[in-house]
Amino acid sequence: QLAKCGACGPGYATPLDAMKGPREEIVYLPCIYRNTGIDKPDYLATVDVNPKSPHYCQVIHRLPMPNLKDELHHSGWNACSSCFGDATKRRNRLILPSLISSRIYVVDVGTDSRAPRIHKVVEPVELYWKGNVANPHTSHCLGTGEILISCLGDPSGNGKGGFILLDGETFEVKGNWENGEKVPPLGYDFWYQPRHNVLMSTEWGAPKVLANGFNPADVARGHYGRRINVWDWSTHTFLQEIDLGQGSIPLEIRFLHNPDAAEGFVGCALSGAVHRFYKTEKGDWAAEKVIEVPSKKVQGWLLPDMPGLITDILISLDDRFLYFSNWLHGDIRQYDISNTRQPKLVGQVFLGGSITKGGPVTVVEDKELQCQPEPFVIKGKRVPGGPQMIQLSLDGKRLYVTSSLYSGWDKQFYPDLVKEGSVMLQIDVDTERGGLKVNKNFLVDFGKEPDGPVLAHEIRYPGGDCTSDIWM
């Protein structure tokens, strides 16, 4: 009956309706100066991605934050398709949690979508005092109009998988979302599926351990994540942990978009595996490994075995394709998930990475490639870094990619990326048979920004997208 409402709320009635939504014309990206040696605030960039526009592939607006060294990272909305049935709601505020400073910026994108402005700043002390949490990461809007944000730690930099709730009108911190004594030891990303009364969260690592770079010894010390944590959606209590193994580091988690689906996928950075999680006949949850990217034996690198480092994954709105990036190996992959238990690789493209020919790393044993890939060059620019954050157009035909993971790790793994700035690229997707091809006319070079090279991270569309919107 929602689809018939004369005046509907934000977003779309169903994921398939969203696929018929308008083509993206602008995108928002947080741009980070922390760890670059440039003493300027992070900012929100608005980029024109409309091929008919005279400003195609250009940054058309920059909104600097009022502080230095925030480490903007991911973004979310004040309202999305979860509020579709509520005509009083508008998607007009972008939520920008700062991973390191623990500030949360609320940005007004409703007054002028092409020139966002700061609406409100939630100071870290609010998170510390009202929730005993810090290092906010993922935000999703709830059907209630509230905003739920997952956190990585406590105010002292130790790991803690707690959550914070913001009021959707005033953006005041209301306190923790979770109830009960039990809270997971680590936090990161989350997704929820109300029809199955469940929220799933993942684990990166303890903030003070990962903040300045990756030390492999910290994995054995238990400072990095290995679990999917299962929560009861209605009572907000921690129910179950699904252990994916030491050294897995499960990051981005995605349910299928169909709100009836009782399954989804999680990408594990360090183990190079994608696990399918699903509801069992008993009614609890389990996971099985369905994709594995083998590590490569290398010389001239931090370790003798180089993982792919799966850092972002997403699912097309029709639940047909799964995409992910291997930030270190340098490729993006497309899998057909018509059979969720047996994903089939149908597209792959290399966009840089750590194993390109002529670089410092020699691959001595590779279970997948015959030879090391060529460096990636576009419009005469040799692109530093590897593919990281990805965003898919609503119709599934265009995949946007940026190359920065997190400034403290960029500096360690790709020093040239920090010196030259990151890029945004666009890949054309064959949605019939599968297949990926770089659009050679598309390059946003964040090395040419007015205050110097910057690290652009997550990509967000003004009207919502595959990674922001959840259907009830």
Side-chain angles (χ1 to χ4, degrees):
Q1 77 265 3
L2 289 182
K4 292 200 189 77
C5 63
C8 297
Y12 301 91
T14 68
L16 294 177
D17 283 351
M19 288 191 84
K20 303 186 195 101
R23 182 185 166 127
E24 66 288 351
E25 294 186 356
I26 55 171
V27 299
Y28 302 125
L29 302 97
C31 292
I32 291 90
Y33 274 126
R34 191 176 159 269
N35 274 316
T36 63
I38 296 173
D39 226 17
K40 293 282 182 179
D42 297 350
Y43 59 94
L44 183 70
T46 307
V47 175
D48 188 324
V49 294
N50 176 3
K52 298 191 176 84
S53 159
H55 305 295
Y56 184 50
C57 286
Q58 289 172 22
V59 180
I60 56 170
H61 186 267
R62 297 169 187 88
L63 174 69
M65 298 301 119
N67 298 281
L68 292 172
K69 299 183 175 35
D70 279 311
E71 191 87 33
L72 297 181
H73 199 59
H74 285 217
S75 63
W77 291 109
N78 64 320
C80 77
S81 296
S82 65
C83 308
F84 180 76
D86 184 347
T88 65
K89 297 274 188 289
R90 280 183 63 220
R91 187 195 306 260
N92 57 3
R93 302 283 183 266
L94 189 67
I95 314 298
L96 285 174
S98 306
L99 189 62
I100 297 299
S101 72
S102 297
R103 270 185 202 91
I104 299 168
Y105 294 102
V106 181
V107 175
D108 171 5
V109 294
T111 306
D112 183 351
S113 64
R114 290 172 174 267
R117 54 193 81 173
I118 300 260
H119 175 70
K120 184 185 167 95
V121 184
V122 179
E123 291 295 342
V125 68
E126 296 284 307
L127 277 69
Y128 300 164
W129 289 358
K130 292 182 182 171
N132 193 30
V133 289
N135 312 101
H137 187 273
T138 301
S139 58
H140 282 297
C141 41
L142 309 185
T144 55
E146 295 162 311
I147 295 147
L148 179 57
I149 304 178
S150 57
C151 296
L152 267 69
D154 70 10
S156 306
N158 306 303
K160 180 183 180 182
F163 294 84
I164 205 88
L165 265 180
L166 299 189
D167 183 282
E169 300 292 324
T170 63
F171 304 101
E172 291 295 320
V173 173
K174 296 177 85 163
N176 296 105
W177 173 80
E178 64 273 18
N179 288 319
E181 293 301 295
K182 274 177 63 190
V183 178
L186 298 166
Y188 183 67
D189 190 31
F190 75 98
W191 199 275
Y192 62 86
Q193 202 75 319
R195 293 186 193 182
H196 295 283
N197 192 36
V198 69
L199 178 148
M200 301 269 194
S201 62
T202 58
E203 305 182 333
W204 182 9
K208 64 182 176 191
V209 170
L210 65 83
N212 297 316
F214 176 66
N215 176 354
D218 286 327
V219 176
R221 294 181 188 126
H223 296 318
Y224 280 97
R226 57 187 291 172
R227 287 168 291 265
I228 301 175
N229 295 305
V230 184
W231 302 77
D232 182 298
W233 175 245
S234 50
T235 64
H236 308 186
T237 49
F238 179 34
L239 290 182
Q240 183 195 344
E241 53 185 52
I242 304 170
D243 193 344
L244 303 178
Q246 172 140 319
S248 52
I249 315 190
L251 294 182
E252 305 293 330
I253 188 161
R254 317 284 186 209
F255 266 92
L256 296 185
H257 294 287
N258 173 359
D260 285 326
E263 59 179 332
F265 298 92
V266 63
C268 296
L270 203 55
S271 62
V274 174
H275 293 256
R276 167 186 172 256
F277 60 85
Y278 58 96
K279 195 180 201 170
T280 68
E281 285 176 4
K282 293 211 305 274
D284 63 352
W285 294 79
E288 58 179 354
K289 184 173 7 175
V290 289
I291 299 169
E292 187 160 22
V293 176
S295 291
K296 301 179 191 296
K297 292 220 176 307
V298 293
Q299 286 166 347
W301 194 67
L302 173 73
L303 295 164
D305 290 288
M306 182 192 288
L309 217 76
I310 297 175
T311 47
D312 195 15
I313 74 169
L314 67 75
I315 297 170
S316 62
L317 286 168
D318 55 7
D319 294 333
R320 261 191 70 201
F321 295 112
L322 170 79
Y323 300 86
F324 66 78
S325 53
N326 283 308
W327 190 57
L328 292 176
H329 289 177
D331 58 319
I332 284 189
R333 301 184 181 204
Q334 175 192 24
Y335 285 80
D336 182 327
I337 51 168
S338 313
N339 176 353
T340 52
R341 300 197 64 182
Q342 290 177 319
K344 209 161 82 237
L345 181 63
V346 290
Q348 184 175 26
V349 63
F350 278 84
L351 303 168
S354 291
I355 55 160
T356 51
K357 271 188 193 149
V361 175
T362 308
V363 178
V364 289
E365 192 187 310
D366 194 324
K367 292 187 175 134
E368 293 185 318
L369 301 178
Q370 305 304 309
C371 62
Q372 295 183 223
E374 295 292 334
F376 179 68
V377 179
I378 184 165
K379 295 198 165 197
K381 179 184 168 71
R382 181 184 168 148
V383 171
Q388 211 284 108
M389 292 310 291
I390 52 179
Q391 189 55 266
L392 188 64
S393 60
L394 298 179
D395 64 8
K397 292 186 160 78
R398 291 168 300 287
L399 191 70
Y400 294 90
V401 188
T402 55
S403 48
S404 160
L405 170 66
Y406 155 68
S407 69
W409 288 26
D410 292 354
K411 193 165 135 180
Q412 176 181 7
F413 290 103
Y414 290 119
D416 289 352
L417 175 63
V418 177
K419 284 206 279 291
E420 294 179 41
S422 67
V423 296
M424 179 162 72
L425 306 168
Q426 189 236 300
I427 292 163
D428 292 320
V429 180
D430 183 335
T431 51
E432 301 289 304
R433 291 178 302 283
L436 302 175
K437 196 163 110 269
V438 177
N439 176 352
K440 286 291 192 177
N441 298 315
F442 188 102
L443 170 67
V444 184
D445 183 354
F446 288 95
K448 295 191 157 69
E449 284 295 88
D451 284 327
V454 76
L455 301 166
H457 194 60
E458 200 193 29
I459 303 152
R460 197 49 81 229
Y461 304 150
D465 49 58
C466 294
T467 56
S468 68
D469 280 39
I470 293 178
W471 280 268
M472 308 289 271

Coordinates of all heavy atoms in Angstrom, one line a residue, residues 29 41 153 230 324 440 460:
L29 N 32.0 13.1 -1.6 CA 33.1 12.3 -1.1 C 33.8 13.1 0.1 O 34.2 14.3 -0.1 CB 34.2 12.1 -2.1 CG 33.8 11.4 -3.4 CD1 33.5 12.4 -4.5 CD2 34.9 10.4 -3.9
P41 N 41.9 21.4 7.1 CA 40.8 20.5 7.6 C 40.4 19.6 6.5 O 40.5 19.9 5.3 CB 39.7 21.5 7.9 CG 40.0 22.8 7.3 CD 41.5 22.8 7.0
G153 N 35.4 1.9 19.3 CA 36.1 1.9 20.6 C 35.4 2.6 21.7 O 34.3 3.1 21.6
V230 N 25.9 -10.9 16.1 CA 24.4 -10.9 15.8 C 23.6 -10.3 17.0 O 23.8 -10.7 18.1 CB 24.0 -12.4 15.6 CG1 22.5 -12.5 15.2 CG2 24.9 -13.1 14.6
F324 N 33.6 -6.5 -5.2 CA 34.6 -6.2 -4.2 C 35.9 -5.7 -4.7 O 36.2 -6.0 -5.9 CB 34.7 -7.2 -3.1 CG 35.3 -8.5 -3.5 CD1 36.7 -8.6 -3.6 CD2 34.6 -9.7 -3.7 CE1 37.3 -9.8 -4.0 CE2 35.2 -10.9 -4.0 CZ 36.5 -11.0 -4.2
K440 N 37.7 5.2 -19.9 CA 39.0 5.9 -20.1 C 38.8 7.4 -20.1 O 39.7 8.2 -20.1 CB 39.7 5.5 -21.4 CG 40.3 4.1 -21.2 CD 41.5 4.1 -20.3 CE 42.3 2.8 -20.4 NZ 43.5 2.8 -19.5
R460 N 29.0 8.9 -2.1 CA 27.6 8.9 -1.8 C 26.8 9.6 -2.8 O 27.2 10.7 -3.2 CB 27.5 9.5 -0.4 CG 26.3 9.4 0.5 CD 25.8 8.1 0.8 NE 26.4 7.2 1.8 CZ 26.7 6.0 1.6 NH1 26.5 5.4 0.4 NH2 27.2 5.2 2.6

